[in-house]
Amino acid sequence: MNMSLNDIYNNADNSTDINALPWVTCYVGLGSNLANELGAPVEHLQHAFEVLQEEEKIRIARISSFYASVPMGPQDQPDFVNAVASFETILTPFELLTFCQQLEQQAKRARLRHWGERSLDVDILLYGDEQIIEPQLTIPHAGLHERNFVLIPLQELAPELIIAGKPIADYPHSRDWTGLKLLSNDELSRNEI
């Protein structure tokens, strides 16, 4: 009898060795363009990655370079700082969604308007080879193929990645630097963004 990942996770109890569970490679997009009392956009991304690294059900975490990007939504807002994190996890897709939403809440994200400014946005881009279409979660992420601020840092981490049966390099936006700028270490250390 073949068991799905959800069956395995649901049948696991507290005595289950987490290393015996199947670890799935995931990618999440991180974005911020709003400073608050907790920090500037770069600090929001750095803190989110630190918390991600500390989660016991996540391992082998890596983060791309940071990129400045023009807003996708309303243009009367600051540029975004974006990055992509990769890791292995035994969290189910919906547990990972909850974890990502908790990261946003810790950064005191307020949803002011659709595609508007935010202190932290954390989107699940890919969860192994899973395809999920639910009202609260779509994997691969619905806008993944059209967003250079996601594809370029994703390609930096995984240049041989296959998305929906197609190499990442075959997506035109993985080569389109329009509105995107790689941030230098000097810019990051001065926290100019």
Side-chain angles (χ1 to χ4, degrees), residues 6 28 34 82 97 125 165:
N6 282 335
V28 297
L34 187 63
N82 294 100
L97 176 63
L125 304 173

Side-chain angles (χ1 to χ4, degrees), residues 38-168:
L38 298 176
V42 167
E43 293 169 312
H44 290 305
L45 269 60
Q46 290 169 333
H47 179 72
F49 185 66
E50 288 166 8
V51 173
L52 190 145
Q53 288 178 296
E54 293 167 3
E55 168 57 47
E56 69 175 352
K57 294 182 178 179
I58 289 175
R59 68 181 187 189
I60 315 174
R62 298 183 310 136
I63 193 165
S64 71
S65 301
F66 285 21
Y67 297 79
S69 66
V70 296
M72 199 171 105
Q75 297 299 296
D76 63 337
Q77 59 180 314
D79 284 353
F80 276 83
V81 177
N82 294 100
V84 168
S86 69
F87 52 88
E88 292 182 358
T89 188
I90 56 171
L91 294 169
T92 66
F94 285 95
E95 288 172 338
L96 182 58
L97 176 63
T98 298
F99 178 77
C100 292
Q101 290 169 341
Q102 289 169 345
L103 289 175
E104 293 175 345
Q105 290 168 1
Q106 286 175 10
K108 295 193 175 182
R109 174 176 172 166
R111 297 178 191 271
L112 305 174
R113 56 184 171 160
H114 185 61
W115 284 348
E117 47 280 288
R118 61 208 87 157
S119 55
L120 184 63
D121 189 32
V122 184
D123 291 323
I124 302 171
L125 304 173
L126 298 165
Y127 183 94
D129 294 326
E130 293 281 317
Q131 294 186 11
I132 299 171
I133 300 174
E134 295 287 339
Q136 64 273 41
L137 181 61
T138 300
I139 297 175
H141 188 279
L144 174 66
H145 308 75
E146 301 144 4
R147 298 177 179 173
N148 65 349
F149 60 87
V150 171
L151 285 171
I152 288 175
L154 184 57
Q155 187 173 16
E156 176 189 326
L157 287 177
E160 306 301 319
L161 187 64
I162 304 294
I163 304 170
K166 186 173 168 181
I168 189 170

